Amino acid sequence: MDLLNTNPDNLSTLLSWLTFLPLIGMCVVLLLPASNLRAIKITAGVFTFIPLVLATQMYFGTFDKTVSGYQMVQHFEWIKALGINYSVGVDGLSMPLLWLTTILFFIAVPASETVPRLSKAYFVLLLLLELGVLGVFVSLDFFLFYVYWEIMLLPMYFLIGIWGGPQREYAAIKFFLYTLAGSVLMLIAVIALRLDAGTFSIPELVAIGKAGGFTGPALLGMSFTTWVFWFLFVAFAIKIPAFPFHTWLPDAHVQAPTPISVILAGILLKLGGYGLLRGCFPIVPDAFQDFAYVLGILGVIAIVYGAYVALGQSDFKKMVAYSSVSHMGFVLLGMAALTEWGMNGAALQMFTHGISSAACFLVVGVVYDRAHHRDLNGFGGLAQPMPRYWAMATIAFFASLGLPGMAGFVSEALTMVGAFQSQVGWTDEAIASGWMWGPFQWLTLIATIGIVMTAAYILWALQRVFLGTLNEKYADFKDISAREVFSLAPLLVLCIVLGIFPWYILDWMEVSISDLMQILTFAG
Amino acid sequence: MFALQDLHLHGLSLLSPELTLVATALVILMMDLIWKERDSWRLGAIGIVGLGAAALQLIGAHGTQDTAFALVAIDNFGGFFKLFTCASTVVCIAFVMLDRRERRHRIGEYYFLLVSAAIGIFFMVSTYNLLLLVLGLELASLASYSLAGFHKGEKRSAEASMKYVVFGGLSAGVMVFGISLLYAATGTLDLRVMSGALAVDPIGEGVARSLAIALEQSPGMIALAMILILGGFSYKISAAPFHFWAPDVYEGSPTPVTTFLAVASKAGGFGALMRFFGVLFVAPDVGELVAAYRHEIGMVLALVAALTMTLGNLAALRQTSIKRMLAYSSVAHAGYVLVGIAAMTQTGMEASMFYLAAYYFMNLGAFGFLLYFSGVTGRETLESLRGMGPKAPMITVPMVIFLVSLTGIPPMVGFTGKLQLLYAAMSPAEGMQLGWLAVCLGLNSVISLYYYMRVVRTLFLEESDAPKPAPQLPMAVFLVVMAFLTVWYGLFFSPLLSWAKSSMDLLT
């Protein structure tokens, strides 16, 4: 069976171009003299802009959203002895995230203007990071996936560790250690799958997983699919980050410079959710269904606990960081519900949180660059000197809050409805009768507390920063500059457009999500 | 009479790489007396040319299956380790030539001893006869003892040498005792006779028994012998619990010697160990009893591997001297390599050989970095590297690549090595379960990340106003080349893999 659909019409080198353009850009930057920072910035801008154009063209042109399976596939042998292939392609799950990646990296370049000690190495690492992220989204071979997954670590370590805040060294190594711990578990699971199924190819593994064809050995007292599931889940949960693996995130966010926070919240966290949908759920669907309630519980803990902790923060950036933990909980909850609405909600939430959290971090960056602190209680009345900034900040935070008409609302509503419909944990009679309170109905109810708290911390933060009496020290603050608007505006436009026309993402994902739902083995 | 002479000539021709090295060593010694230069690069050049010639002969002999004088086996397996030894000894000699501080000493003897140690390793890895194995091991050790103490005036170096002699002597004794027990039980010193591959002992006269029979008659004696012999090997590869000498000796020895001990000498130990356990237990058709015994040996090796990597990594976490940290890291890596052997399969052994090849690139690179910086700053502490990263990028960026590779992160060759080892651990010999060892190996990589990244942090994340280090072009070129190969073989590791596979002709 040709799972990759390698007929000539479907083959394309476009994805490889997209992935390796940042690498070419990196090499060009390396050749430029370090003293000519302007040329380096322009080069970085160009080499993040071309992928953006390419990805936009793919999104609206080349990509056929009505077709099931992978598109623009490229496939050849890489290391024959171990059956490792270079195999790339996109489907409705990866295409929107690929587009998001190129958007955010392009925005990150002008946003880097105010990073202190900015140098050539910064842009080299930024482009290398983009290579890793794009690679993960296009990989259809688990080995390739893993290699790209790990390529991201080192650039990120340096970007936080060299250009970050006062505690940057601690934050950078913590990020690295957490992610690597997850990665080695993933690697062991991937090797186990390879040994058992004889392939690294994700489509083939999915086909075998769907047929329940894994027969590998037990480990640590768990059956094969169970431990493979847990190993993969922990690897991806650390990246999401799901409670209780989330503690690296606030540190990394607070210490990272603004553009890196934007990328971290906007894309790197999505890799965890994407990994679950691409590499965990379809490959070990039975174990995923068995433990869906655990995932749901972790998701709701993240929603409520993240929002609760965000409420208590006085550091503006830390508050946004915890809001990320809270919002990513929806991704987990939506997936765990195992309903079509829930999956759609989770996948959409990844995109919408990608733009709204990126916008929020940019907003925080704007005020930090002027005041050089982020103490929520130290501001006040900033709406007076900076009215345009206030307006844009309000849009960003309302989108994050999930106000109807904004992007975040659609995805969170879909997730909540999906979770409420979930039949996980229902008895057979209940399924027959069609109505019962199960674990997920309770979880949905609890999650609403998180939504209320989200509204509270966001409104309270906006109030403390922008309303009230103006702090005299800040009376002469300049309003948001053209460069800052340039970074922020596209995201805000997307926040509103996707709030009104969410099908610009949902339609792209529809076929792939319904393919995923076919894997489910239980009734409903 | 003629037949005998033919036999000798044939045997000698098979030993041409060894003979080349012996000639090289003697020429170095002689020219040292003739030239009488304290600071001679010519002697080093002779050593490099000699080792290169031996390496070329080894490459030419690839595929030969023969036995010289009924003692020295000529096969691809030995060839792998001999080539490895040549390649690493060349680098060690180059290190001596690059390091100005080393050249104060009696340089001719330095090169002579390095080449002699290489000769010892040559014999150690290419014999089925335990007596010759011990002789080769002793030759390599004796040369290493003197090398460790080469900085005669320095207390540290003298201490290193002394410790090395005491530990080495003790473990050699332990090993020889184990071998004598094995001899008593089987009546032969030839591994192939023990394994049943040969019916008649090629040099012995007594009544030889195979290990299978010996196991039936005196299992306790065999068990004791195996443990003692493993102890002797553990010393050579610095595996727990015989690793205590390693940090002190590595730290006290001159850096090129440390490099030799951590790379060439350790690989030689692995070669001998793999031949020993491979022929006796891993080879197919060893018989039911031995096959059952294989699991026990595998479990012992797995425990030693787990203990070695964990102790090495935990101790490395606390080091403030880079040299000592690299010493503990090399102990941990010995544990990693053992994982492949503990799997008791052919693929496992191939994985171990692959990992050694990967280890060659990244560890030689790391030691080259150490040599450069201790030469520039005169110190070997982590502190002395503070903020050096951006000041000498040609030296420090390769170091980052080596450290990332040592951690086992793609796309570096160290990652592909670990991948093979995990493979091996997860598909061990039938009836064995080493999944826990795979998890242990994975978690150890995470521990090691912390101390490797501490070097990166000191280099790049911290700042200092120390002056820019003086550039040293040959070292920069060497490091860049090694870093390139580390990445290149990480992405396209088929050549290394097929080399390791084709060298694993031991078990057929």
Side-chain angles (χ1 to χ4, degrees):
Chain A
M1 191 168 56
D2 186 13
L3 293 162
L4 279 174
N5 186 16
T6 48
N7 70 56
D9 302 338
N10 196 30
L11 291 179
S12 162
T13 54
L14 268 184
L15 287 176
S16 294
W17 278 107
L18 181 70
T19 321
F20 289 108
L21 268 168
L23 191 68
I24 299 171
M26 186 187 108
C27 297
V28 176
V29 169
L30 274 175
L31 293 175
L32 292 169
S35 53
N36 195 349
L37 204 55
R38 199 181 140 74
I40 289 169
K41 281 178 202 161
I42 292 172
T43 315
V46 168
F47 279 94
T48 48
F49 184 64
I50 304 173
L52 173 61
V53 173
L54 204 60
T56 312
Q57 195 277 332
M58 275 183 207
Y59 193 80
F60 292 103
T62 322
F63 186 77
D64 184 350
K65 54 181 181 283
T66 58
V67 176
S68 159
Y70 303 101
Q71 303 182 32
M72 294 174 249
V73 166
Q74 194 180 3
H75 178 89
F76 57 83
E77 272 179 350
W78 178 15
I79 290 144
K80 202 174 174 183
L82 293 181
I84 297 168
N85 297 309
Y86 177 88
S87 125
V88 296
V90 282
D91 65 356
L93 284 178
S94 44
M95 193 63 237
L97 291 171
L98 211 53
W99 189 40
L100 177 71
T101 308
T102 55
I103 295 173
L104 290 185
F105 270 93
F106 176 61
I107 283 173
V109 175
S112 302
E113 193 64 43
T114 55
V115 172
R117 306 185 297 276
L118 195 63
S119 66
K120 174 170 152 175
Y122 175 89
F123 291 101
V124 169
L125 293 165
L126 191 73
L127 288 162
L128 188 61
L129 183 65
E130 185 173 10
L131 164 79
V133 179
L134 291 171
V136 169
F137 285 131
V138 299
S139 299
L140 294 181
D141 184 279
F142 229 139
F143 184 84
L144 189 65
F145 182 96
Y146 185 81
V147 169
Y148 281 129
W149 184 272
E150 298 273 273
I151 284 180
M152 291 183 297
L153 296 184
L154 200 63
M156 203 60 194
Y157 170 82
F158 281 119
L159 286 169
I160 298 175
I162 299 181
W163 290 277
Q167 295 283 312
R168 56 182 184 269
E169 291 161 17
Y170 169 74
I173 192 68
K174 192 171 179 183
F175 160 82
F176 209 157
L177 284 172
Y178 265 71
T179 327
L180 189 71
S183 304
V184 294
L185 294 182
M186 185 196 332
L187 181 63
I188 291 171
V190 170
I191 292 174
L193 290 170
R194 163 72 176 78
L195 284 169
D196 194 44
T199 176
F200 277 119
S201 156
I202 292 178
E204 284 174 34
L205 287 172
V206 169
I208 296 167
K210 194 175 172 184
F214 292 118
T215 53
L219 181 68
L220 310 170
M222 292 182 277
S223 77
F224 182 73
T225 47
T226 308
W227 74 257
V228 166
F229 163 75
W230 280 114
F231 277 30
L232 289 172
F233 174 71
V234 169
F236 297 130
I238 287 174
K239 206 80 173 181
I240 286 180
F243 178 87
F245 308 111
H246 66 284
T247 58
W248 64 268
L249 183 76
D251 286 313
H253 263 317
V254 171
Q255 300 307 328
T258 303
I260 303 310
S261 284
V262 166
I263 287 167
L264 183 58
I267 313 161
L268 294 198
L269 306 188
K270 308 305 168 290
L271 291 164
Y274 173 76
L276 282 177
L277 284 182
R278 169 71 78 230
C280 181
F281 166 60
I283 290 176
V284 280
D286 294 338
F288 195 95
Q289 288 167 55
D290 289 347
F291 296 103
Y293 70 95
V294 181
L295 272 57
I297 292 169
L298 290 179
V300 169
I301 292 177
I303 294 171
V304 177
Y305 171 78
Y308 179 71
V309 178
L311 201 54
Q313 297 304 320
S314 58
D315 183 323
F316 203 174
K317 207 170 182 185
K318 210 160 188 172
M319 188 207 83
V320 181
Y322 275 107
S323 91
S324 282
V325 174
S326 174
H327 285 123
M328 290 307 286
F330 283 100
V331 174
L332 212 50
L333 178 67
M335 276 178 212
L338 299 172
T339 56
E340 191 138 9
W341 283 60
M343 286 279 177
N344 271 306
L348 184 63
Q349 173 78 355
M350 287 202 272
F351 194 95
T352 57
H353 177 256
I355 38 180
S356 67
S357 70
C360 290
F361 277 112
L362 284 172
V363 165
V364 176
V366 169
V367 70
Y368 179 73
D369 288 340
R370 287 166 176 71
H372 302 290
H373 76 84
R374 292 182 299 253
D375 185 6
L376 279 169
N377 300 316
F379 299 110
L382 281 185
Q384 289 172 40
M386 310 169 76
R388 275 185 294 149
Y389 172 55
W390 176 41
M392 297 182 100
T394 310
I395 299 174
F397 279 94
F398 279 7
S400 169
L401 183 156
L403 195 75
M406 301 281 208
F409 170 73
V410 187
S411 52
E412 284 179 21
L414 275 172
T415 310
M416 296 293 269
V417 174
F420 200 72
Q421 291 171 336
S422 172
Q423 299 183 346
V424 171
W426 284 20
T427 55
D428 290 341
E429 303 90 78
I431 293 168
S433 76
W435 184 248
M436 189 194 150
W437 276 91
F440 269 80
Q441 283 64 36
W442 283 113
L443 286 175
T444 319
L445 208 62
I446 299 169
T448 52
I449 303 172
I451 296 186
V452 175
M453 281 199 285
T454 306
Y457 69 75
I458 283 184
L459 292 174
W460 192 31
L462 284 176
Q463 182 196 333
R464 281 185 284 175
V465 174
F466 293 102
L467 306 177
T469 47
L470 175 64
N471 188 335
E472 283 309 317
K473 273 191 292 183
Y474 304 138
D476 57 342
F477 270 9
K478 287 198 183 63
D479 205 344
I480 190 164
S481 70
R483 179 187 59 78
E484 287 157 343
V485 172
F486 180 78
S487 302
L488 198 47
L491 297 177
L492 299 180
V493 170
L494 275 173
C495 281
I496 297 172
V497 169
L498 292 179
I500 306 170
F501 310 107
W503 45 86
Y504 272 104
I505 305 292
L506 284 174
D507 280 3
W508 269 254
M509 303 186 307
E510 194 188 345
V511 178
S512 296
I513 298 266
S514 66
D515 283 349
L516 270 185
M517 296 305 293
Q518 309 262 316
I519 294 171
L520 289 180
T521 48
F522 72 41
Chain B
M1 197 61 205
F2 268 109
L4 194 64
Q5 258 176 354
D6 281 349
L7 191 70
H8 280 185
L9 280 178
H10 180 60
L12 285 176
S13 78
L14 286 173
L15 290 183
S16 66
E18 282 84 353
L19 293 174
T20 312
L21 285 195
V22 173
T24 310
L26 292 177
V27 168
I28 290 175
L29 214 50
M30 227 157 57
M31 295 319 281
D32 187 31
L33 289 175
I34 294 168
W35 286 337
K36 286 201 171 105
E37 291 172 333
R38 280 187 79 78
D39 180 8
S40 172
W41 63 271
R42 289 188 285 186
L43 291 173
I46 293 175
I48 289 178
V49 169
L51 285 160
L56 285 179
Q57 288 164 7
L58 286 169
I59 294 169
H62 189 80
T64 318
Q65 285 274 9
D66 213 332
T67 309
F69 306 114
L71 278 175
V72 186
I74 308 297
D75 50 12
N76 291 349
F77 179 81
F80 178 94
F81 285 96
K82 288 182 204 170
L83 207 53
F84 189 96
T85 309
C86 281
S88 27
T89 313
V90 163
V91 174
C92 293
I93 289 181
F95 278 1
V96 179
M97 293 165 79
L98 282 175
D99 190 356
R100 206 165 289 116
R101 292 166 309 155
E102 293 302 328
R103 286 181 295 188
R104 288 186 310 233
H105 303 277
R106 301 185 62 86
I107 205 71
E109 288 158 29
Y110 207 136
Y111 297 133
F112 168 76
L113 286 170
L114 276 174
V115 175
S116 312
I119 297 169
I121 294 173
F122 267 46
F123 283 106
M124 193 165 116
V125 298
S126 59
T127 181
Y128 286 105
N129 189 292
L130 293 177
L131 194 62
L132 189 61
L133 192 152
V134 170
L135 284 177
L137 195 139
E138 280 303 303
L139 175 55
S141 295
L142 278 176
S144 308
Y145 298 151
S146 349
L147 281 169
F150 214 84
H151 288 184
K152 266 175 289 189
E154 267 179 47
K155 209 173 151 194
R156 235 171 36 143
S157 188
E159 184 192 328
S161 181
M162 192 61 209
K163 273 192 179 146
Y164 200 20
V165 171
V166 173
F167 261 96
L170 182 73
S171 27
V174 166
M175 190 171 183
V176 170
F177 183 42
I179 289 174
S180 67
L181 284 179
L182 202 57
Y183 181 65
T186 59
T188 176
L189 282 169
D190 196 290
L191 289 174
R192 285 165 306 173
V193 180
M194 290 186 205
S195 74
L198 284 187
V200 187
D201 193 332
I203 51 167
E205 286 165 3
V207 188
R209 277 175 305 240
S210 74
L211 189 68
I213 299 169
L215 260 177
E216 214 167 323
Q217 289 170 344
S218 43
M221 198 150 130
I222 299 287
L224 187 60
M226 288 300 157
I227 295 295
L228 292 174
I229 293 172
L230 180 62
F233 281 127
S234 294
Y235 148 79
K236 198 73 195 162
I237 60 173
S238 72
F242 289 85
H243 68 288
F244 290 105
W245 62 273
D248 290 337
V249 173
Y250 283 15
E251 194 188 13
S253 306
T255 303
V257 176
T258 310
T259 314
F260 185 83
L261 294 181
V263 181
S265 169
K266 183 172 284 197
F270 271 112
L273 180 145
M274 281 162 75
R275 193 184 286 274
F276 182 81
F277 286 108
V279 170
L280 285 190
F281 297 104
V282 182
D285 10 289
V286 282
E288 215 169 294
L289 203 58
V290 179
Y293 208 68
R294 176 192 293 160
H295 298 174
E296 327 260 323
I297 296 283
M299 283 314 283
V300 172
L301 286 172
L303 286 175
V304 171
L307 199 65
T308 306
M309 63 175 96
T310 313
L311 288 179
N313 276 327
L314 289 181
L317 284 177
R318 291 193 300 269
Q319 302 309 320
T320 51
S321 147
I322 312 170
K323 204 166 174 183
R324 218 173 156 78
M325 186 209 85
L326 282 176
Y328 276 111
S329 128
S330 105
V331 171
H333 282 268
Y336 299 156
V337 177
L338 270 177
V339 169
I341 304 168
M344 288 280 150
T345 56
Q346 176 156 348
T347 18
M349 298 225 162
E350 286 162 12
S352 291
M353 288 162 83
F354 184 96
Y355 198 83
L356 282 172
Y359 179 78
Y360 173 85
F361 297 108
M362 51 201 190
N363 226 36
L364 282 184
F367 275 110
F369 170 88
L370 171 68
L371 190 75
Y372 169 77
F373 262 104
S374 57
V376 170
T377 63
R379 283 182 302 162
E380 284 156 358
T381 54
L382 205 54
E383 191 66 15
S384 62
L385 296 180
R386 184 185 284 266
M388 286 297 180
K391 287 173 188 153
M394 296 297 269
I395 306 282
T396 53
V397 173
M399 182 59 173
V400 174
I401 293 176
F402 301 136
L403 292 170
V404 168
S405 181
L406 285 165
T407 316
I409 295 175
M412 314 297 173
V413 71
F415 162 69
T416 43
K418 270 199 185 134
L419 178 82
Q420 317 269 334
L421 292 175
L422 287 171
Y423 247 88
M426 293 169 74
S427 52
E430 225 174 304
M432 285 177 78
Q433 286 289 347
L434 289 181
W436 61 272
L437 191 59
V439 176
C440 178
L441 174 59
L443 294 181
N444 262 288
S445 306
V446 182
I447 302 176
S448 71
L449 175 77
Y450 182 77
Y451 63 82
Y452 289 132
M453 279 301 125
R454 224 170 44 165
V455 178
V456 177
R457 186 185 82 183
T458 317
L459 281 173
F460 284 92
L461 271 51
E462 291 175 4
E463 282 162 35
S464 85
D465 39 2
K468 212 175 149 121
Q472 192 179 18
L473 189 66
M475 185 56 92
V477 171
F478 170 75
L479 291 179
V480 169
V481 168
M482 281 309 211
F484 173 77
L485 291 175
T486 303
V487 179
W488 180 260
Y489 283 130
L491 288 172
F492 306 100
F493 53 94
S494 298
L496 281 187
L497 194 63
S498 54
W499 183 38
K501 276 194 188 304
S502 72
S503 301
M504 198 58 219
D505 58 353
L506 196 60
L507 309 175
T508 46

